[in-house]
Amino acid sequence: MAARIIDGKALSRRLREEFRGRVGKLATQGVVPGLAVILVGDNPASRVYVGNKVKACAECGVASFHHALPAEASEAEVLACIDRLNADPAVNGILVQLPLPPHIDVRKVLEAIAVDKDVDGFHLYNVGGLVVGNTIFPPCTPYGVQLLLETTGTEVAGKNVVVVGASNIVGKPMALMLLQKEATVTVCHAKTRDLAQHTILADILIVAAGKPGLIVPRMVKEGAIVIDVGINRLADGRIVGDVDFAGVKEKASWITPVPGGVGPMTVTMLIENTLRSTERAHHLRKDDDYQDCEAPAVKAHADN
Ligand code: NAD
């Protein structure tokens, strides 16, 4: 039986509608949430990502402040820009678009962002929070995946989850978030021997390797939920994930498409974190609300 599609675009639309309501409520108190985005250099892909974030802000009623620095900007200039934004009360979230030019120390830059405005969740404080299960800002891509999983109505506790990819921005935080939800988590990476031996055991398979065609049907358990985080541009211009979608959808119970799966959710969760930061700053929410990376209410497909 062909898998059901987990529709990231539709879920994003629903969440963004909800966000507009939250922005309206903030407006009654004279508060406009603000997100500052720092782009260093002119990487074309980064420009597209920043454009998408600015557009999503406008759609939800969030003010965006775009700081474009030249590729030759010094580390000190980037840090000074972050200092100013840390002190600016109109800015509730600060995002530095990665990658940065090689002469800039990424870790130093990420640690300079005020913990309370770290809406990407990359500051060590928030990474540490993820380890103990109460981060302020869950990183956007794994946070989006968590919500997509919720729409399937599947309880992750006790499930075998295999995460393929162990980067700091996707694979590792994803594994920690699902461990917190009491899944049995295996993390695979480029040095993993016999990848299929692990993936075949997955009730939930999450792939974030950046390798088109990495996951083929024989590596997937019948009825598994498959989440494809990969975004790869082929020579003919097509955008594909890491999973052989046409083949794997015949075996999986649920699957995300690329595009239209995880991608739209990443930007949507950035807005969620910006609203969360604004509500915290104005004492409209307590940190306790976020124990366990609790997500905004997501309606399961199964209930529709
Ligand atoms: P990365 O290059 O930082 O990390 C890739 C990870 O995959 C590494 O841990 C590496 O060891 C592992 N890997 C590479 N080849 C492998 C193989 N053959 N078998 C098993 N593991 C392998 O990449 P990243 O930033 O984590 O991104 C991964 C993919 O997800 C990319 O395609 C990226 O474009 C995409 N991405 C999508 C979103 C989104 O919003 N949908 C967000 C971030 C990243």
Side-chain angles (χ1 to χ4, degrees), residues 49 141 164-171 188-192 195 207-211 214 228-232 242 261-267:
Y49 294 141
T141 301
V164 181
S167 71
N168 289 339
I169 64 164
V170 190
C188 302
H189 45 76
K191 295 277 165 68
T192 298
L195 184 61
V207 192
K211 297 277 176 273
L214 179 65
D228 191 352
V229 182
I231 302 178
N232 308 290
D242 293 348
V262 178
M265 287 299 289
T266 296
V267 181

Side-chain angles (χ1 to χ4, degrees), residues 183-208:
T184 302
V185 182
T186 303
V187 183
C188 302
H189 45 76
K191 295 277 165 68
T192 298
R193 276 179 279 153
D194 193 359
L195 184 61
Q197 167 196 308
H198 299 280
T199 59
I200 196 72
L201 297 177
D203 303 309
I204 299 171
L205 177 60
I206 300 170
V207 192

Side-chain angles (χ1 to χ4, degrees), residues 13 95 107-108 168 244 246 250 257 300:
R13 257 198 310 274
L95 177 149
R107 243 4 299 170
K108 211 161 159 185
N168 289 339
D244 163 15
E250 298 306 321

Side-chain angles (χ1 to χ4, degrees), residues 16-285:
R16 290 183 193 191
E17 246 170 66
E18 184 199 303
F19 295 165
R20 280 193 287 273
R22 280 163 71 185
V23 169
K25 222 164 130 191
L26 285 163
T28 62
Q29 316 218 4
V31 175
V32 180
L35 173 71
V37 182
I38 301 176
L39 175 64
V40 186
D42 52 7
N43 179 321
S46 293
R47 271 214 308 267
V48 172
Y49 294 141
V50 166
N52 288 342
K53 289 165 188 173
V54 167
K55 217 167 96 194
C57 283
E59 195 190 315
C60 299
V62 172
S64 61
F65 311 101
H66 186 191
H67 295 266
L69 302 179
E72 57 281 2
S74 68
E75 188 177 279
E77 282 173 277
V78 178
L79 293 173
C81 180
I82 292 173
D83 270 353
R84 282 193 299 276
L85 297 170
N86 281 342
D88 184 344
V91 173
N92 304 103
I94 302 171
L95 177 149
V96 178
Q97 185 64 46
L98 302 180
L100 288 170
H103 65 279
I104 297 178
D105 181 344
V106 181
R107 243 4 299 170
K108 211 161 159 185
V109 165
L110 296 179
E111 299 325 324
I113 297 172
V115 165
D116 285 337
K117 298 188 178 187
D118 175 38
V119 288
D120 248 345
F122 294 158
H123 189 286
L124 280 184
Y125 179 91
N126 281 312
V127 176
L130 213 49
V131 176
V132 293
N134 64 351
T135 190
I136 306 172
F137 302 114
C140 302
T141 301
Y143 193 12
V145 171
Q146 182 185 305
L147 265 57
L148 289 170
L149 280 174
E150 283 180 24
T151 69
T152 68
T154 304
E155 174 60 65
V156 300
K159 294 285 186 323
N160 285 342
V161 176
V162 177
V163 180
V164 181
S167 71
N168 289 339
I169 64 164
V170 190
K172 284 186 205 163
M174 186 78 254
L176 286 168
M177 286 165 81
L178 294 171
L179 184 59
Q180 187 63 27
K181 298 268 175 204
E182 299 182 300
T184 302
V185 182
T186 303
V187 183
C188 302
H189 45 76
K191 295 277 165 68
T192 298
R193 276 179 279 153
D194 193 359
L195 184 61
Q197 167 196 308
H198 299 280
T199 59
I200 196 72
L201 297 177
D203 303 309
I204 299 171
L205 177 60
I206 300 170
V207 192
K211 297 277 176 273
L214 179 65
I215 304 296
V216 294
R218 69 171 176 81
M219 301 167 80
V220 178
K221 182 161 117 178
E222 197 74 48
I225 298 176
V226 180
I227 308 280
D228 191 352
V229 182
I231 302 178
N232 308 290
R233 185 179 287 278
L234 300 182
D236 63 8
R238 274 184 306 138
I239 301 285
V240 298
D242 293 348
V243 175
D244 163 15
F245 180 82
V248 170
K249 84 172 187 329
E250 298 306 321
K251 264 187 115 173
S253 57
W254 291 91
I255 191 166
T256 55
V258 178
V262 178
M265 287 299 289
T266 296
V267 181
T268 298
M269 299 329 289
L270 174 67
I271 306 294
E272 160 66 27
N273 279 348
T274 304
L275 295 185
R276 178 174 293 188
S277 173
T278 312
E279 289 158 352
R280 282 180 91 240
H282 294 274
H283 309 291
L284 299 170
R285 290 188 96 135

